[in-house]
Amino acid sequence: MSLHISYANKELTDHARASQPASAALAQGTQYSLLLKNKSAQPWTFYVYQKMPQPVANVFSLAWFCSPYQIRVGNQIKFTWEIDYNFVWSDTGQLIPGVDFLASGVQDGSPSGKNTTTFSLNGGPGLSDPVKGDPAGSLVINDAANVPNSRFSVGIGMSGTGTYVVQAGTNLQHTFTPTPSYWIAAGTNVNIGTVLSIDTITQTREAKFPSAVFDLVGTLREDNTWEVDPT
């Protein structure tokens, strides 16, 4: 018998859908962009992460996009993506903040289409080709019986890069109901795939895309707070 762990109960799902911009569901395949400018007093590493509408135990956000170097004062960097989902896995060991989740395999998925995959060690660790399953509107990962506890991590991503991950384990099932919520931040010692501790992130702000707006500019000001405006 498998142990079922759902990371999106009805209350969370309804709340997330209510808070999602009306344009988001209609804009799948549309290119979004964030131009981040440094007008603070020092260089920073700029990064973007996604955050669930309500905290969910044992689900971690990743640094989704990240500048490969510090952004000097007066300089900028631009990140672009589309709303297309994928499944990811990694050999992380114990999943804790600060660990780097380096996706070792990616499978494309869709909440409204092929939304279910299995992570197993058959022939080596990896994800199966996704198939359509229940519940519609969610992304589901089933861990096989040969998956050890506290060794691997699995999760979902967007535009080819991981966004949320969870510790894999024997006969576990993980159900994600994706609702894009984009946050920008400035920090140090962050890379793409760094497992984040959301409660400790400073110099951060949500980047909300109004209806029919797909390009935003985030400016880190001298007081180390963000201003977000359409381009």
Side-chain angles (χ1 to χ4, degrees):
M1 186 174 87
S2 67
L3 173 64
H4 178 269
I5 300 179
S6 175
Y7 297 108
N9 59 30
K10 185 179 187 299
E11 181 181 357
L12 174 57
T13 302
D14 291 346
H15 175 85
R17 287 173 179 165
S19 64
Q20 185 177 9
S23 60
L26 302 176
Q28 188 165 351
T30 300
Q31 187 174 82
Y32 290 76
S33 75
L34 273 170
L35 177 64
L36 304 184
K37 299 181 177 182
N38 189 0
K39 292 189 178 180
S40 71
Q42 67 184 77
W44 290 100
T45 297
F46 285 169
Y47 61 101
V48 183
Y49 63 98
Q50 295 192 26
K51 183 178 177 181
M52 290 191 172
Q54 296 176 353
V56 180
N58 303 318
V59 177
F60 293 90
S61 294
L62 301 178
W64 178 37
F65 293 122
C66 186
S67 60
Y69 34 72
Q70 288 191 322
I71 304 302
R72 290 185 181 184
V73 175
N75 285 206
Q76 62 190 32
I77 190 168
K78 187 175 185 179
F79 301 112
T80 61
W81 69 93
E82 296 180 3
I83 299 181
D84 50 4
Y85 293 100
N86 48 267
F87 298 99
V88 293
W89 73 271
S90 182
D91 187 355
T92 56
Q94 185 177 3
L95 189 64
I96 57 175
V99 167
D100 283 339
F101 182 98
L102 302 176
S104 299
V106 177
Q107 288 279 5
D108 293 335
S110 170
S112 60
K114 295 181 178 180
N115 65 336
T116 302
T117 184
T118 297
F119 178 69
S120 75
L121 273 59
N122 295 334
L127 297 162
S128 66
D129 292 334
V131 297
K132 190 170 185 176
D134 294 324
S138 295
L139 294 167
V140 181
I141 304 171
N142 295 303
D143 298 336
N146 62 4
V147 175
N149 295 317
S150 303
R151 169 67 188 272
F152 298 97
S153 299
V154 295
I156 63 171
M158 181 185 290
S159 207
T161 306
T163 53
Y164 301 114
V165 294
V166 65
Q167 190 86 66
T170 309
N171 290 324
L172 296 182
Q173 184 181 77
H174 318 283
T175 302
F176 301 85
T177 301
T179 51
S181 171
Y182 310 110
W183 293 72
I184 55 178
T188 57
N189 300 317
V190 181
N191 303 295
I192 291 176
T194 295
V195 178
L196 303 174
S197 176
I198 296 296
D199 295 338
T200 64
I201 298 176
T202 57
Q203 290 105 263
T204 185
R205 180 174 173 178
E206 185 175 6
K208 294 184 178 180
F209 287 86
S211 179
V213 173
F214 308 105
D215 304 286
L216 295 178
V217 177
T219 302
L220 187 66
R221 300 175 292 197
E222 288 187 2
D223 63 357
N224 289 322
T225 62
W226 287 96
E227 179 181 2
V228 179
D229 300 290
T231 57

